[in-house]
Amino acid sequence: MALVTHIRVPGLIPLGAGLCVCLVSSLADPGIVQAQQMDHAHQQVEGEIQVMPSASMIMPMIRNPMLPGVRSARPSVTEFLPGGGIDPTTLPMAGPRQIVDLASGDTLDLEATLVRKKVAGETFVMYAFNRQIPGPLIRVDRGAEVHVRFTNRIDMETTVHWHGLRLDNRFDGVPGLTQDPVQPGDTFYYTIRFPDAGIYWYHPHVREDIQQDLGLYGNMLVRPDRDPYADFVHSEQVVTLDDILIEGKELVPFGREAANFSIMGRFGNVLLVNGEQSYDLEAKTGEVVRFYLTNVANTRTFNLSFGGAPMKLVGADIGRFEKEMFVTSVAIAPAQRYVVEVMFENPGEHAVVNRITALNHMQGKFFSAVDTLGVVRVAETRATPDRSVAFRELHVDEEVQREVEPYRKYMKAPVDRELLLTVDITELPVQVMQFIAIDTTYRSPVEFTDVMSHMNWLSTSNEVRWILRDTETGAENMDIDWRFDVGDVVKIRLRNDPDAFHPMNHPVHLHGQRFLVLSRDGVPNENLVWKDTALLPVGATVDILLEVTNPGHWMLHCHIAEHLEAGMMMAFAVQPGGKE
Ligand SMILES: [Cu+2]
C-alpha cells in the first residue's frame, strides 16, 4: 500500500535575506498571519529595515517607564517569585531533559519541584518536572496507554494538562472542570492515551503565566504505527522555543493574586531553546534533520529559520499535512507545534534565527528584527546515505488525505457557532488609557514582540478582561453553554475583533478533540492538517471544523497565559453515544 506519493519539483523555493513574514506565515499555517494585513506592515518596513541583535534591545526597560505621568504607577497586585522563605542554595540545579521511552501499561513518576537554574549569567529559583528543564521527553507508540504518578512539590497548587491528546476527560488536568487542583505535597494519578501520532506537550493548567514560564513544560513524541517517512531524514531533534523576562539581576516578579502583563502577555527578553540561552547542534554536510518544534512561551510567536538552509514543512499539532511544502521560515504561535525537515547542504555555521516584523507603538512604525537562537555547525564530513533526492521531492500523505476528504464539503457549509475575540479594559491610569487609545491606531496582525512593556506590565487581570463572546447569545467566557454529541461535526467561526480597545493576536486552543482550519478570511485552505491550536491575527476570521469524538467537559481558550488568566476561556460539553 503506497501511502506516500512523490511530486518532483524542479528546484527549491529561492531563499534569501529580507524575507517578509507574510509569505512565510501564510505558507506555514492556514490559520496564521493574513497576507493582506501583513502587506501593510511590510510596506512600512521598506526603507527602514533594522537588524537588531537581541530581543532585549527591542524591549524597553519595564520598570523604568518612558511615558510621563505614570512613572510611579505599579501593577495592582503584590509581587511574586517562587521559593519565598527557602534558602535557594539548598535547591538542586535543574538538569537537561532526559528521554523516557514508555510502553503501554508503564508508569512514570513525575514530580514538580523547585530548582535553581542559571540563565544569562544569573541563577534563579525556578520550577521543573523531575528537576529537568524541559521536563522528560516522553516517547511512546501510537495507541499506547501509560500512567503518570504526579506529585506536586512546588509552592503553589497545580495540575498537569496533556496538550493535544484526545484522552479521558478526567485526566485532562483542568482544575474546577475535570479535577481538583493538586495541593503541595499531594499526588494525582493520570492515565494518558495516545490515539494520534505527532508531537505533543504537557504543562500545568494553573497559573501558566508563572508555572509554565518558570520551567514546567515537556514534550511527548508519539510514533506512528508505520513511518513511511523514516528513511527521508538522518536524525530528529525535539525543540522547545521559549523566552524569559530578566531585568537587572532578577526575574521580573509575577502578580501573586492575579497575572500582570495582561494586555499583551509576558514577553521575555532572553530567548530559550530547550531551556537554554543558546542552541548548539552538530550536523554533517547533506544531513537532513527533522525538527519537532513546540512553542512553550507565554505569548511570543516565533518565526524560525535555519540560516538559509532549505526547509520543508511536513507536520503540525496533530499529525502530518496532506502535502509537504517548502517554506522560508515557520511561524509558531504559543502552544503550536510544527514539524520541519531541514537539509544542511553546505558545511559551516548556520544561525538559527527568529526573524520578525515588530511594531513600535510609541512611534507607529513597523520594523524588522532578527534574533539568533543558536547555531547548527555543519562538518565537512558527508552524511550517509545521500538523502538529497528524497528531500527535493514533496510528498503527499494519502492517509491524511483519505481521513480529511469527508470534511471538505464543510468548506461551503453554514457556520454553526461564532465567537468574537475582544477585550474590556478599565481602571488603568488615565495616561495609559489615553496612550492605548492612540496606540490602537497602529494595528499589528501579530505582536511578535513587546515595545510597550511598561504599560503592559501595569495591566493585570484586575483591569483587563479578555473575552470570547458567543455572537448568537451574547454569552461570554465561562457563561457560554455549548453542548455537542460524539459524532457531531461543528463549524465554528472565530473572529478577532479589530476594533477592540487593544486588539491582539490569540492562539485559540481546544482541548480533547481535533479540528481542521477550513478557511481564513474566506480563502479556503488547500492543505489540511489536524490541529488543536489556531492563531487568530488581529482582524482575522478563521473557520475551523471541530470533529467531536471525545465525551466530557472541555476547555476552549486563548493560549496566551495572561489572556487565559484574564478570563479568555470557555467550556463545552460533549455527550457520549451520539451519532456516529
Ligand atoms: Cu489571547
Side-chain angles (χ1 to χ4, degrees), residues 164-167 169 196 318 484-488 509-515 530-532 546-555 572-574:
L165 297 184
R166 296 191 285 164
L167 43 44
N169 191 230
D196 308 293
I318 306 184
F484 306 121
D485 292 319
V486 168
D488 283 351
H509 170 49
L510 206 141
H511 287 211
Q513 324 285 333
R514 56 183 189 171
F515 63 78
W530 291 106
K531 294 185 67 73
D532 58 58
L546 174 64
E547 181 205 49
V548 183
T549 55
N550 200 2
H553 291 87
W554 304 100
M555 298 294 289
F572 61 96
V574 175

PDB file of all heavy atoms in Angstrom, residues 164-167 169 196 318 484-488 509-515 530-532 546-555 572-574:
ATOM      1  N   GLY A 164      -3.108  18.494  23.573  1.00  0.00           N
ATOM      2  CA  GLY A 164      -3.304  17.937  22.234  1.00  0.00           C
ATOM      3  C   GLY A 164      -3.802  16.502  22.234  1.00  0.00           C
ATOM      4  O   GLY A 164      -4.207  16.002  21.184  1.00  0.00           O
ATOM      5  N   LEU A 165      -3.749  15.843  23.402  1.00  0.00           N
ATOM      6  CA  LEU A 165      -4.150  14.433  23.441  1.00  0.00           C
ATOM      7  C   LEU A 165      -5.668  14.310  23.552  1.00  0.00           C
ATOM      8  O   LEU A 165      -6.303  15.031  24.317  1.00  0.00           O
ATOM      9  CB  LEU A 165      -3.503  13.725  24.632  1.00  0.00           C
ATOM     10  CG  LEU A 165      -1.983  13.643  24.658  1.00  0.00           C
ATOM     11  CD1 LEU A 165      -1.530  12.827  25.864  1.00  0.00           C
ATOM     12  CD2 LEU A 165      -1.426  13.040  23.378  1.00  0.00           C
ATOM     13  N   ARG A 166      -6.206  13.349  22.819  1.00  0.00           N
ATOM     14  CA  ARG A 166      -7.629  13.035  22.963  1.00  0.00           C
ATOM     15  C   ARG A 166      -7.730  11.928  24.019  1.00  0.00           C
ATOM     16  O   ARG A 166      -7.890  10.750  23.702  1.00  0.00           O
ATOM     17  CB  ARG A 166      -8.204  12.610  21.614  1.00  0.00           C
ATOM     18  CG  ARG A 166      -8.152  13.746  20.590  1.00  0.00           C
ATOM     19  CD  ARG A 166      -8.943  13.454  19.359  1.00  0.00           C
ATOM     20  NE  ARG A 166      -8.276  12.497  18.486  1.00  0.00           N
ATOM     21  CZ  ARG A 166      -8.880  11.846  17.500  1.00  0.00           C
ATOM     22  NH1 ARG A 166     -10.170  12.033  17.279  1.00  0.00           N
ATOM     23  NH2 ARG A 166      -8.204  11.015  16.731  1.00  0.00           N
ATOM     24  N   LEU A 167      -7.612  12.340  25.279  1.00  0.00           N
ATOM     25  CA  LEU A 167      -7.557  11.376  26.380  1.00  0.00           C
ATOM     26  C   LEU A 167      -8.872  11.386  27.161  1.00  0.00           C
ATOM     27  O   LEU A 167      -9.800  12.121  26.826  1.00  0.00           O
ATOM     28  CB  LEU A 167      -6.351  11.662  27.293  1.00  0.00           C
ATOM     29  CG  LEU A 167      -6.016  13.092  27.695  1.00  0.00           C
ATOM     30  CD1 LEU A 167      -7.196  13.923  28.109  1.00  0.00           C
ATOM     31  CD2 LEU A 167      -4.969  13.128  28.771  1.00  0.00           C
ATOM     32  N   ASN A 169     -11.468  12.437  29.740  1.00  0.00           N
ATOM     33  CA  ASN A 169     -11.719  13.779  30.250  1.00  0.00           C
ATOM     34  C   ASN A 169     -11.189  13.986  31.674  1.00  0.00           C
ATOM     35  O   ASN A 169     -10.634  15.031  31.995  1.00  0.00           O
ATOM     36  CB  ASN A 169     -13.228  14.054  30.197  1.00  0.00           C
ATOM     37  CG  ASN A 169     -13.585  15.505  30.463  1.00  0.00           C
ATOM     38  OD1 ASN A 169     -14.444  15.796  31.272  1.00  0.00           O
ATOM     39  ND2 ASN A 169     -12.917  16.428  29.798  1.00  0.00           N
ATOM     40  N   ASP A 196      -3.223   9.482  18.474  1.00  0.00           N
ATOM     41  CA  ASP A 196      -2.706  10.087  17.239  1.00  0.00           C
ATOM     42  C   ASP A 196      -1.192  10.272  17.322  1.00  0.00           C
ATOM     43  O   ASP A 196      -0.676  10.736  18.336  1.00  0.00           O
ATOM     44  CB  ASP A 196      -3.344  11.467  17.022  1.00  0.00           C
ATOM     45  CG  ASP A 196      -4.858  11.409  17.102  1.00  0.00           C
ATOM     46  OD1 ASP A 196      -5.467  10.797  16.210  1.00  0.00           O
ATOM     47  OD2 ASP A 196      -5.432  11.944  18.079  1.00  0.00           O
ATOM     48  N   ILE A 318      -1.331  17.940  15.299  1.00  0.00           N
ATOM     49  CA  ILE A 318      -1.760  16.543  15.457  1.00  0.00           C
ATOM     50  C   ILE A 318      -1.539  15.818  14.135  1.00  0.00           C
ATOM     51  O   ILE A 318      -2.475  15.563  13.386  1.00  0.00           O
ATOM     52  CB  ILE A 318      -3.241  16.467  15.920  1.00  0.00           C
ATOM     53  CG1 ILE A 318      -3.443  17.312  17.189  1.00  0.00           C
ATOM     54  CG2 ILE A 318      -3.659  15.021  16.149  1.00  0.00           C
ATOM     55  CD1 ILE A 318      -4.825  17.250  17.804  1.00  0.00           C
ATOM     56  N   PHE A 484     -22.486  19.419  22.652  1.00  0.00           N
ATOM     57  CA  PHE A 484     -22.409  18.629  21.424  1.00  0.00           C
ATOM     58  C   PHE A 484     -22.543  17.149  21.771  1.00  0.00           C
ATOM     59  O   PHE A 484     -22.451  16.756  22.937  1.00  0.00           O
ATOM     60  CB  PHE A 484     -21.069  18.863  20.707  1.00  0.00           C
ATOM     61  CG  PHE A 484     -20.763  20.319  20.434  1.00  0.00           C
ATOM     62  CD1 PHE A 484     -19.609  20.912  20.960  1.00  0.00           C
ATOM     63  CD2 PHE A 484     -21.625  21.100  19.673  1.00  0.00           C
ATOM     64  CE1 PHE A 484     -19.317  22.249  20.721  1.00  0.00           C
ATOM     65  CE2 PHE A 484     -21.335  22.443  19.426  1.00  0.00           C
ATOM     66  CZ  PHE A 484     -20.183  23.014  19.957  1.00  0.00           C
ATOM     67  N   ASP A 485     -22.757  16.336  20.723  1.00  0.00           N
ATOM     68  CA  ASP A 485     -22.752  14.880  20.875  1.00  0.00           C
ATOM     69  C   ASP A 485     -21.548  14.315  20.139  1.00  0.00           C
ATOM     70  O   ASP A 485     -21.136  14.852  19.106  1.00  0.00           O
ATOM     71  CB  ASP A 485     -24.017  14.277  20.251  1.00  0.00           C
ATOM     72  CG  ASP A 485     -25.260  14.652  21.038  1.00  0.00           C
ATOM     73  OD1 ASP A 485     -25.200  14.635  22.288  1.00  0.00           O
ATOM     74  OD2 ASP A 485     -26.294  14.982  20.407  1.00  0.00           O
ATOM     75  N   VAL A 486     -21.027  13.214  20.650  1.00  0.00           N
ATOM     76  CA  VAL A 486     -19.982  12.499  19.917  1.00  0.00           C
ATOM     77  C   VAL A 486     -20.534  12.180  18.526  1.00  0.00           C
ATOM     78  O   VAL A 486     -21.669  11.723  18.389  1.00  0.00           O
ATOM     79  CB  VAL A 486     -19.569  11.205  20.655  1.00  0.00           C
ATOM     80  CG1 VAL A 486     -18.711  10.313  19.754  1.00  0.00           C
ATOM     81  CG2 VAL A 486     -18.804  11.542  21.934  1.00  0.00           C
ATOM     82  N   GLY A 487     -19.762  12.456  17.512  1.00  0.00           N
ATOM     83  CA  GLY A 487     -20.212  12.244  16.138  1.00  0.00           C
ATOM     84  C   GLY A 487     -20.588  13.549  15.444  1.00  0.00           C
ATOM     85  O   GLY A 487     -20.676  13.595  14.212  1.00  0.00           O
ATOM     86  N   ASP A 488     -20.792  14.608  16.229  1.00  0.00           N
ATOM     87  CA  ASP A 488     -21.100  15.906  15.608  1.00  0.00           C
ATOM     88  C   ASP A 488     -19.879  16.443  14.858  1.00  0.00           C
ATOM     89  O   ASP A 488     -18.732  16.183  15.241  1.00  0.00           O
ATOM     90  CB  ASP A 488     -21.474  16.944  16.680  1.00  0.00           C
ATOM     91  CG  ASP A 488     -22.894  16.765  17.199  1.00  0.00           C
ATOM     92  OD1 ASP A 488     -23.638  15.962  16.612  1.00  0.00           O
ATOM     93  OD2 ASP A 488     -23.234  17.425  18.206  1.00  0.00           O
ATOM     94  N   HIS A 509      -6.893  27.525  21.575  1.00  0.00           N
ATOM     95  CA  HIS A 509      -6.651  26.100  21.814  1.00  0.00           C
ATOM     96  C   HIS A 509      -7.927  25.422  22.283  1.00  0.00           C
ATOM     97  O   HIS A 509      -8.672  25.975  23.083  1.00  0.00           O
ATOM     98  CB  HIS A 509      -5.552  25.938  22.863  1.00  0.00           C
ATOM     99  CG  HIS A 509      -5.380  24.535  23.360  1.00  0.00           C
ATOM    100  ND1 HIS A 509      -5.267  23.455  22.509  1.00  0.00           N
ATOM    101  CD2 HIS A 509      -5.302  24.028  24.614  1.00  0.00           C
ATOM    102  CE1 HIS A 509      -5.120  22.352  23.229  1.00  0.00           C
ATOM    103  NE2 HIS A 509      -5.149  22.668  24.498  1.00  0.00           N
ATOM    104  N   LEU A 510      -8.150  24.235  21.777  1.00  0.00           N
ATOM    105  CA  LEU A 510      -9.340  23.468  22.116  1.00  0.00           C
ATOM    106  C   LEU A 510      -8.894  22.111  22.669  1.00  0.00           C
ATOM    107  O   LEU A 510      -8.053  21.452  22.074  1.00  0.00           O
ATOM    108  CB  LEU A 510     -10.106  23.312  20.807  1.00  0.00           C
ATOM    109  CG  LEU A 510     -11.588  23.123  20.820  1.00  0.00           C
ATOM    110  CD1 LEU A 510     -12.188  23.904  19.681  1.00  0.00           C
ATOM    111  CD2 LEU A 510     -11.877  21.661  20.665  1.00  0.00           C
ATOM    112  N   HIS A 511      -9.425  21.734  23.819  1.00  0.00           N
ATOM    113  CA  HIS A 511      -8.986  20.507  24.494  1.00  0.00           C
ATOM    114  C   HIS A 511      -9.731  19.264  23.988  1.00  0.00           C
ATOM    115  O   HIS A 511     -10.926  19.323  23.688  1.00  0.00           O
ATOM    116  CB  HIS A 511      -9.274  20.600  25.997  1.00  0.00           C
ATOM    117  CG  HIS A 511      -8.381  21.524  26.754  1.00  0.00           C
ATOM    118  ND1 HIS A 511      -8.037  21.306  28.069  1.00  0.00           N
ATOM    119  CD2 HIS A 511      -7.759  22.673  26.405  1.00  0.00           C
ATOM    120  CE1 HIS A 511      -7.251  22.282  28.499  1.00  0.00           C
ATOM    121  NE2 HIS A 511      -7.076  23.134  27.504  1.00  0.00           N
ATOM    122  N   GLY A 512      -9.027  18.143  23.991  1.00  0.00           N
ATOM    123  CA  GLY A 512      -9.671  16.831  23.931  1.00  0.00           C
ATOM    124  C   GLY A 512     -10.242  16.401  22.599  1.00  0.00           C
ATOM    125  O   GLY A 512     -10.730  15.286  22.473  1.00  0.00           O
ATOM    126  N   GLN A 513     -10.232  17.260  21.596  1.00  0.00           N
ATOM    127  CA  GLN A 513     -10.732  16.931  20.258  1.00  0.00           C
ATOM    128  C   GLN A 513      -9.663  17.402  19.272  1.00  0.00           C
ATOM    129  O   GLN A 513      -8.623  17.901  19.654  1.00  0.00           O
ATOM    130  CB  GLN A 513     -12.052  17.658  19.953  1.00  0.00           C
ATOM    131  CG  GLN A 513     -13.002  17.835  21.122  1.00  0.00           C
ATOM    132  CD  GLN A 513     -13.732  16.566  21.526  1.00  0.00           C
ATOM    133  OE1 GLN A 513     -13.943  15.680  20.708  1.00  0.00           O
ATOM    134  NE2 GLN A 513     -14.109  16.469  22.794  1.00  0.00           N
ATOM    135  N   ARG A 514      -9.955  17.262  17.998  1.00  0.00           N
ATOM    136  CA  ARG A 514      -9.070  17.850  16.993  1.00  0.00           C
ATOM    137  C   ARG A 514      -9.925  18.610  15.983  1.00  0.00           C
ATOM    138  O   ARG A 514     -11.125  18.355  15.870  1.00  0.00           O
ATOM    139  CB  ARG A 514      -8.209  16.784  16.312  1.00  0.00           C
ATOM    140  CG  ARG A 514      -8.998  15.679  15.679  1.00  0.00           C
ATOM    141  CD  ARG A 514      -8.108  14.598  15.078  1.00  0.00           C
ATOM    142  NE  ARG A 514      -8.937  13.682  14.302  1.00  0.00           N
ATOM    143  CZ  ARG A 514      -8.471  12.731  13.508  1.00  0.00           C
ATOM    144  NH1 ARG A 514      -7.170  12.567  13.361  1.00  0.00           N
ATOM    145  NH2 ARG A 514      -9.285  11.949  12.849  1.00  0.00           N
ATOM    146  N   PHE A 515      -9.308  19.552  15.294  1.00  0.00           N
ATOM    147  CA  PHE A 515     -10.059  20.326  14.306  1.00  0.00           C
ATOM    148  C   PHE A 515      -9.207  20.596  13.075  1.00  0.00           C
ATOM    149  O   PHE A 515      -7.983  20.415  13.089  1.00  0.00           O
ATOM    150  CB  PHE A 515     -10.607  21.631  14.905  1.00  0.00           C
ATOM    151  CG  PHE A 515      -9.567  22.626  15.380  1.00  0.00           C
ATOM    152  CD1 PHE A 515      -8.884  23.437  14.475  1.00  0.00           C
ATOM    153  CD2 PHE A 515      -9.294  22.794  16.738  1.00  0.00           C
ATOM    154  CE1 PHE A 515      -7.943  24.361  14.908  1.00  0.00           C
ATOM    155  CE2 PHE A 515      -8.342  23.717  17.182  1.00  0.00           C
ATOM    156  CZ  PHE A 515      -7.677  24.494  16.261  1.00  0.00           C
ATOM    157  N   TRP A 530      -4.592  18.167  10.924  1.00  0.00           N
ATOM    158  CA  TRP A 530      -5.332  18.194  12.193  1.00  0.00           C
ATOM    159  C   TRP A 530      -4.611  19.068  13.194  1.00  0.00           C
ATOM    160  O   TRP A 530      -3.388  19.001  13.309  1.00  0.00           O
ATOM    161  CB  TRP A 530      -5.499  16.774  12.749  1.00  0.00           C
ATOM    162  CG  TRP A 530      -6.429  15.947  11.931  1.00  0.00           C
ATOM    163  CD1 TRP A 530      -6.109  14.934  11.083  1.00  0.00           C
ATOM    164  CD2 TRP A 530      -7.863  16.089  11.872  1.00  0.00           C
ATOM    165  NE1 TRP A 530      -7.247  14.427  10.502  1.00  0.00           N
ATOM    166  CE2 TRP A 530      -8.337  15.110  10.969  1.00  0.00           C
ATOM    167  CE3 TRP A 530      -8.784  16.931  12.488  1.00  0.00           C
ATOM    168  CZ2 TRP A 530      -9.683  14.954  10.667  1.00  0.00           C
ATOM    169  CZ3 TRP A 530     -10.129  16.783  12.185  1.00  0.00           C
ATOM    170  CH2 TRP A 530     -10.571  15.803  11.302  1.00  0.00           C
ATOM    171  N   LYS A 531      -5.389  19.889  13.900  1.00  0.00           N
ATOM    172  CA  LYS A 531      -4.789  20.856  14.811  1.00  0.00           C
ATOM    173  C   LYS A 531      -5.536  20.910  16.135  1.00  0.00           C
ATOM    174  O   LYS A 531      -6.690  20.485  16.225  1.00  0.00           O
ATOM    175  CB  LYS A 531      -4.789  22.256  14.182  1.00  0.00           C
ATOM    176  CG  LYS A 531      -3.889  22.389  12.963  1.00  0.00           C
ATOM    177  CD  LYS A 531      -3.817  23.817  12.449  1.00  0.00           C
ATOM    178  CE  LYS A 531      -3.136  24.744  13.412  1.00  0.00           C
ATOM    179  NZ  LYS A 531      -1.672  24.547  13.476  1.00  0.00           N
ATOM    180  N   ASP A 532      -4.852  21.489  17.150  1.00  0.00           N
ATOM    181  CA  ASP A 532      -5.544  21.810  18.397  1.00  0.00           C
ATOM    182  C   ASP A 532      -5.385  23.275  18.767  1.00  0.00           C
ATOM    183  O   ASP A 532      -5.983  23.731  19.732  1.00  0.00           O
ATOM    184  CB  ASP A 532      -5.073  20.910  19.542  1.00  0.00           C
ATOM    185  CG  ASP A 532      -3.571  20.992  19.792  1.00  0.00           C
ATOM    186  OD1 ASP A 532      -3.072  22.087  20.059  1.00  0.00           O
ATOM    187  OD2 ASP A 532      -2.905  19.941  19.708  1.00  0.00           O
ATOM    188  N   LEU A 546     -14.703  21.399  13.852  1.00  0.00           N
ATOM    189  CA  LEU A 546     -14.458  20.585  15.039  1.00  0.00           C
ATOM    190  C   LEU A 546     -15.044  19.192  14.829  1.00  0.00           C
ATOM    191  O   LEU A 546     -16.244  19.044  14.568  1.00  0.00           O
ATOM    192  CB  LEU A 546     -15.096  21.264  16.252  1.00  0.00           C
ATOM    193  CG  LEU A 546     -15.057  20.491  17.576  1.00  0.00           C
ATOM    194  CD1 LEU A 546     -13.625  20.288  18.055  1.00  0.00           C
ATOM    195  CD2 LEU A 546     -15.862  21.242  18.638  1.00  0.00           C
ATOM    196  N   GLU A 547     -14.182  18.192  14.941  1.00  0.00           N
ATOM    197  CA  GLU A 547     -14.632  16.800  14.853  1.00  0.00           C
ATOM    198  C   GLU A 547     -14.859  16.335  16.295  1.00  0.00           C
ATOM    199  O   GLU A 547     -13.903  16.201  17.069  1.00  0.00           O
ATOM    200  CB  GLU A 547     -13.536  15.973  14.175  1.00  0.00           C
ATOM    201  CG  GLU A 547     -13.865  14.523  13.987  1.00  0.00           C
ATOM    202  CD  GLU A 547     -12.609  13.653  13.888  1.00  0.00           C
ATOM    203  OE1 GLU A 547     -11.714  13.791  14.745  1.00  0.00           O
ATOM    204  OE2 GLU A 547     -12.529  12.853  12.952  1.00  0.00           O
ATOM    205  N   VAL A 548     -16.111  16.127  16.674  1.00  0.00           N
ATOM    206  CA  VAL A 548     -16.427  15.814  18.071  1.00  0.00           C
ATOM    207  C   VAL A 548     -16.343  14.298  18.274  1.00  0.00           C
ATOM    208  O   VAL A 548     -17.165  13.554  17.749  1.00  0.00           O
ATOM    209  CB  VAL A 548     -17.824  16.350  18.449  1.00  0.00           C
ATOM    210  CG1 VAL A 548     -18.102  16.092  19.922  1.00  0.00           C
ATOM    211  CG2 VAL A 548     -17.936  17.835  18.127  1.00  0.00           C
ATOM    212  N   THR A 549     -15.318  13.860  19.007  1.00  0.00           N
ATOM    213  CA  THR A 549     -15.090  12.415  19.159  1.00  0.00           C
ATOM    214  C   THR A 549     -14.974  11.978  20.610  1.00  0.00           C
ATOM    215  O   THR A 549     -14.961  10.779  20.882  1.00  0.00           O
ATOM    216  CB  THR A 549     -13.766  12.005  18.466  1.00  0.00           C
ATOM    217  OG1 THR A 549     -12.705  12.808  19.005  1.00  0.00           O
ATOM    218  CG2 THR A 549     -13.845  12.192  16.960  1.00  0.00           C
ATOM    219  N   ASN A 550     -14.855  12.943  21.538  1.00  0.00           N
ATOM    220  CA  ASN A 550     -14.402  12.595  22.876  1.00  0.00           C
ATOM    221  C   ASN A 550     -15.334  13.206  23.923  1.00  0.00           C
ATOM    222  O   ASN A 550     -15.395  14.424  24.070  1.00  0.00           O
ATOM    223  CB  ASN A 550     -12.966  13.130  23.032  1.00  0.00           C
ATOM    224  CG  ASN A 550     -12.207  12.463  24.146  1.00  0.00           C
ATOM    225  OD1 ASN A 550     -12.715  11.549  24.813  1.00  0.00           O
ATOM    226  ND2 ASN A 550     -10.989  12.917  24.360  1.00  0.00           N
ATOM    227  N   PRO A 551     -16.103  12.368  24.662  1.00  0.00           N
ATOM    228  CA  PRO A 551     -17.067  12.911  25.619  1.00  0.00           C
ATOM    229  C   PRO A 551     -16.403  13.579  26.822  1.00  0.00           C
ATOM    230  O   PRO A 551     -15.267  13.247  27.170  1.00  0.00           O
ATOM    231  CB  PRO A 551     -17.869  11.679  26.057  1.00  0.00           C
ATOM    232  CG  PRO A 551     -17.010  10.504  25.750  1.00  0.00           C
ATOM    233  CD  PRO A 551     -16.099  10.897  24.618  1.00  0.00           C
ATOM    234  N   GLY A 552     -17.131  14.499  27.437  1.00  0.00           N
ATOM    235  CA  GLY A 552     -16.623  15.150  28.643  1.00  0.00           C
ATOM    236  C   GLY A 552     -16.842  16.646  28.609  1.00  0.00           C
ATOM    237  O   GLY A 552     -17.566  17.169  27.757  1.00  0.00           O
ATOM    238  N   HIS A 553     -16.203  17.323  29.550  1.00  0.00           N
ATOM    239  CA  HIS A 553     -16.246  18.784  29.617  1.00  0.00           C
ATOM    240  C   HIS A 553     -14.871  19.305  29.247  1.00  0.00           C
ATOM    241  O   HIS A 553     -13.880  18.970  29.907  1.00  0.00           O
ATOM    242  CB  HIS A 553     -16.668  19.252  31.010  1.00  0.00           C
ATOM    243  CG  HIS A 553     -18.094  18.932  31.314  1.00  0.00           C
ATOM    244  ND1 HIS A 553     -18.496  17.728  31.843  1.00  0.00           N
ATOM    245  CD2 HIS A 553     -19.224  19.654  31.113  1.00  0.00           C
ATOM    246  CE1 HIS A 553     -19.810  17.722  31.971  1.00  0.00           C
ATOM    247  NE2 HIS A 553     -20.286  18.885  31.540  1.00  0.00           N
ATOM    248  N   TRP A 554     -14.819  20.117  28.206  1.00  0.00           N
ATOM    249  CA  TRP A 554     -13.544  20.506  27.617  1.00  0.00           C
ATOM    250  C   TRP A 554     -13.415  22.014  27.529  1.00  0.00           C
ATOM    251  O   TRP A 554     -14.397  22.714  27.334  1.00  0.00           O
ATOM    252  CB  TRP A 554     -13.413  19.908  26.208  1.00  0.00           C
ATOM    253  CG  TRP A 554     -13.561  18.420  26.189  1.00  0.00           C
ATOM    254  CD1 TRP A 554     -14.695  17.722  25.849  1.00  0.00           C
ATOM    255  CD2 TRP A 554     -12.579  17.439  26.537  1.00  0.00           C
ATOM    256  NE1 TRP A 554     -14.464  16.368  25.954  1.00  0.00           N
ATOM    257  CE2 TRP A 554     -13.165  16.166  26.376  1.00  0.00           C
ATOM    258  CE3 TRP A 554     -11.246  17.514  26.963  1.00  0.00           C
ATOM    259  CZ2 TRP A 554     -12.486  14.978  26.637  1.00  0.00           C
ATOM    260  CZ3 TRP A 554     -10.564  16.338  27.216  1.00  0.00           C
ATOM    261  CH2 TRP A 554     -11.183  15.082  27.052  1.00  0.00           C
ATOM    262  N   MET A 555     -12.174  22.481  27.594  1.00  0.00           N
ATOM    263  CA  MET A 555     -11.913  23.920  27.504  1.00  0.00           C
ATOM    264  C   MET A 555     -11.669  24.349  26.060  1.00  0.00           C
ATOM    265  O   MET A 555     -11.135  23.592  25.244  1.00  0.00           O
ATOM    266  CB  MET A 555     -10.638  24.288  28.278  1.00  0.00           C
ATOM    267  CG  MET A 555     -10.652  24.020  29.755  1.00  0.00           C
ATOM    268  SD  MET A 555     -11.829  25.041  30.611  1.00  0.00           S
ATOM    269  CE  MET A 555     -11.029  26.643  30.488  1.00  0.00           C
ATOM    270  N   PHE A 572     -17.045  23.521  26.894  1.00  0.00           N
ATOM    271  CA  PHE A 572     -18.161  22.941  26.153  1.00  0.00           C
ATOM    272  C   PHE A 572     -18.315  21.481  26.571  1.00  0.00           C
ATOM    273  O   PHE A 572     -17.344  20.816  26.961  1.00  0.00           O
ATOM    274  CB  PHE A 572     -17.978  23.091  24.634  1.00  0.00           C
ATOM    275  CG  PHE A 572     -16.765  22.420  24.065  1.00  0.00           C
ATOM    276  CD1 PHE A 572     -16.844  21.141  23.511  1.00  0.00           C
ATOM    277  CD2 PHE A 572     -15.531  23.060  24.068  1.00  0.00           C
ATOM    278  CE1 PHE A 572     -15.720  20.517  22.979  1.00  0.00           C
ATOM    279  CE2 PHE A 572     -14.405  22.435  23.546  1.00  0.00           C
ATOM    280  CZ  PHE A 572     -14.492  21.175  22.995  1.00  0.00           C
ATOM    281  N   ALA A 573     -19.579  21.026  26.513  1.00  0.00           N
ATOM    282  CA  ALA A 573     -19.870  19.662  26.971  1.00  0.00           C
ATOM    283  C   ALA A 573     -20.092  18.764  25.768  1.00  0.00           C
ATOM    284  O   ALA A 573     -20.731  19.156  24.790  1.00  0.00           O
ATOM    285  CB  ALA A 573     -21.112  19.675  27.850  1.00  0.00           C
ATOM    286  N   VAL A 574     -19.552  17.549  25.836  1.00  0.00           N
ATOM    287  CA  VAL A 574     -19.773  16.561  24.783  1.00  0.00           C
ATOM    288  C   VAL A 574     -20.437  15.334  25.412  1.00  0.00           C
ATOM    289  O   VAL A 574     -19.886  14.732  26.342  1.00  0.00           O
ATOM    290  CB  VAL A 574     -18.449  16.155  24.101  1.00  0.00           C
ATOM    291  CG1 VAL A 574     -18.690  15.042  23.089  1.00  0.00           C
ATOM    292  CG2 VAL A 574     -17.795  17.359  23.431  1.00  0.00           C
TER     293      VAL A 574
END
